[in-house]
């Protein structure tokens, strides 16, 4: 019994197969990644994946970077519009589930091992325990900023689908106000993902240069990170702003959801900025919540370093959604 699982973002589309009978359903040797721009739509990319592997899917779970409504989703940072019936027709199965990509990241928490995460700060994670009542948050920068949560109740996992990355940015110190003013001149309303995302890091670098009155170079997020590590002062300021804004947003999410069991930092940017997150103010901003600072000090913040946590979560969702007997 094999299920197609997919994690579709604004830049890349990842696919894999899962076997629901296995205790670890995701088949890691089947993982493939394609540039989304190479295909007209998600159905074409999925069909290409199955043909490339010579596979057939009896069901599918698509985790997509956008709001899901009525079996449809529009990718927020890409022109693809995804419809479950079209996917089903392309794959030859009526069993197609569309979920938000950070619902999948939330479900991945139930399958992560302790060595799949790196603690940012002193508070560690004892590992997942389905027998306990738990509430987790998950937030992660990539092409945009994904936000979700996971409720564990009576032995079952319930992912929360949100678009929290589009909540408004809240400055917490004077330099944040200067950054906000720069971004407001460019965008009007400034959402969290205008700062904490791959493009957000570029926005922060441009804002630093504007405040300093210097000409900005045309740099990618990776180039900004590389220059920051080499000592470039403006790039270092941009990375500092990114890490503190990320920490503040992650802390706000814990307070909003009551996620006292931990917040997971997911997305493609996190592993690349791991050293910076450990040293450039993330945890300080995370804990700086006034009267709740002592409580925040006990909440783990955990960087996900699993290579394909979105697919892992989609496979976990498939295992909880599809009854093997009904698919066979």
């Amino acid at each position: 019994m094999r299920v197609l699982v997919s994690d579709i973002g604004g830049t890349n589309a990842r696919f894999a197969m899962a076997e629901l009978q296995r205790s670890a359903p995701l088949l890691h040797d089947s993982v493939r990644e394609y540039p989304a721009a190479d295909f007209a739509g998600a159905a074409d990319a999925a069909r290409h994946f199955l043909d490339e592997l010579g596979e057939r899917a009896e069901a599918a779970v698509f985790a997509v970077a956008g709001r899901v409504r009525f079996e449809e989703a529009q990718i927020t940072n890409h022109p693809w519009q995804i419809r479950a019936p079209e996917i089903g027709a392309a794959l030859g199965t009526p069993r197609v589930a569309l979920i938000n990509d950070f619902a999948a990241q939330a479900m991945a928490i139930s399958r992560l091992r302790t060595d799949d995460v790196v603690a940012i700060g002193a508070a560690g994670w004892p590992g997942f325990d389905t027998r306990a009542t738990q509430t987790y948050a998950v937030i992660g920068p990539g092409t945009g900023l994904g936000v979700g949560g996971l409720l564990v109740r009576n032995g079952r996992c319930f992912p929360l689908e949100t678009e929290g990355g589009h909540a408004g940015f809240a400055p917490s110190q004077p330099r944040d106000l200067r950054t906000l003013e720069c971004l407001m001149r460019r965008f009007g309303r400034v959402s969290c993902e205008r700062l904490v995302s791959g493009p957000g890091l570029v926005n922060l670098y441009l804002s630093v240069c504007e405040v300093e009155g210097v000409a900005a170079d045309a740099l990618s997020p990776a180039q900004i990170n590389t220059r920051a590590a080499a000592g470039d002062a403006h790039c270092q300021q941009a990375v500092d702003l990114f890490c503190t804004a990320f920490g503040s947003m992650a802390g706000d999410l814990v307070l909003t959801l009551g996620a006292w069991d931990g917040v997971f930092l997911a997305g493609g940017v996190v592993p690349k900025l791991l050293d910076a997150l450990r040293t450039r103010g993330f945890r300080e901003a995370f804990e700086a919540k006034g009267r709740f600072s002592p409580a925040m000090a006990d909440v783990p913040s955990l960087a996900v370093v699993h290579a394909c946590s979105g697919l892992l979560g989609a496979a976990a969702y498939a295992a909880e959604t599809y009854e093997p007997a009904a698919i066979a």
Side-chain angles (χ1 to χ4, degrees):
M1 186 180 309
R2 296 166 83 82
V3 176
L4 171 69
V5 293
S6 179
D7 179 19
I8 297 178
T11 304
N12 296 311
R14 284 185 169 184
F15 297 91
M17 300 301 297
E19 285 188 0
L20 300 193
Q21 302 98 320
R22 292 161 49 103
S23 59
L26 182 65
L27 303 179
H28 288 272
D29 60 354
S30 70
V31 174
R32 300 290 187 277
E33 180 175 291
Y34 310 108
D38 287 356
F39 299 91
D44 294 329
R47 188 70 260 168
H48 175 82
F49 166 77
L50 291 175
D51 290 345
E52 188 175 87
L53 268 67
E55 287 279 3
R56 174 180 172 273
E58 296 168 279
V61 173
F62 276 63
V64 299
R67 185 185 178 199
V68 178
R69 296 185 72 221
F70 309 120
E71 296 189 299
E72 294 187 8
Q74 173 68 55
I75 302 298
T76 304
N77 292 298
H78 188 77
W80 280 3
Q81 187 160 4
I82 299 176
R83 298 180 175 87
E86 292 179 3
I87 299 289
L91 303 186
T93 175
R95 296 180 177 274
V96 178
L98 296 186
I99 62 174
N100 179 264
D101 59 335
F102 267 71
Q105 293 289 355
M107 286 298 296
I109 295 169
S110 67
R111 303 284 176 159
L112 291 173
R113 302 169 302 182
T114 53
D115 59 353
D116 289 326
V117 300
V118 174
I120 306 298
W125 183 51
F128 184 80
D129 183 357
T130 190
R131 299 167 297 179
T133 296
Q134 300 163 91
T135 303
Y136 294 103
V138 59
I139 181 170
T143 306
L145 178 66
V147 175
L150 184 71
L151 306 180
V152 185
R153 303 290 188 270
N154 300 318
R156 293 196 61 194
C157 295
F158 301 92
L160 301 177
E161 299 194 2
T162 89
E163 288 297 337
H166 298 280
F169 169 60
S172 59
Q173 50 187 309
R175 70 173 183 174
D176 293 344
L177 286 170
R178 294 192 294 272
T179 301
L180 179 60
E181 289 171 354
C182 293
L183 294 176
M184 288 179 67
R185 284 192 285 271
R186 293 183 61 199
F187 300 111
R189 179 183 182 272
V190 178
S191 67
C192 291
E193 80 169 21
R194 294 294 193 187
L195 292 83
V196 179
S197 63
L201 182 57
V202 176
N203 292 337
L204 289 171
Y205 167 72
L206 295 174
S207 297
V208 167
C209 292
E210 181 179 335
V211 170
E212 296 289 329
V214 299
D217 295 326
L219 301 178
S220 68
Q223 290 171 325
I224 293 169
N225 191 36
T226 299
R227 284 199 184 187
D232 183 290
H234 298 111
C235 290
Q236 285 181 339
Q237 288 185 58
V239 171
D240 287 347
L241 285 166
F242 181 100
C243 291
T244 56
F246 191 12
S248 183
M249 292 170 195
D252 286 346
L253 182 60
V254 168
L255 295 175
T256 301
L257 296 183
W260 305 114
D261 295 292
V263 58
F264 288 79
L265 316 177
V269 171
V270 168
K272 299 169 186 174
L273 287 176
L274 195 56
D275 289 340
L277 290 171
R278 285 166 154 169
T279 59
R280 293 188 178 273
F282 173 93
R283 187 68 195 191
E284 290 84 351
F286 177 83
E287 294 183 16
K289 299 303 174 187
R291 289 169 290 175
F292 268 82
S293 292
M296 294 298 294
D298 293 330
V299 179
S301 53
L302 305 152
V304 177
V305 294
H306 188 284
C308 44
S309 56
L311 293 174
L312 184 71
Y317 184 90
E320 293 218 0
T321 300
Y322 296 122
E323 289 292 338
I327 300 175

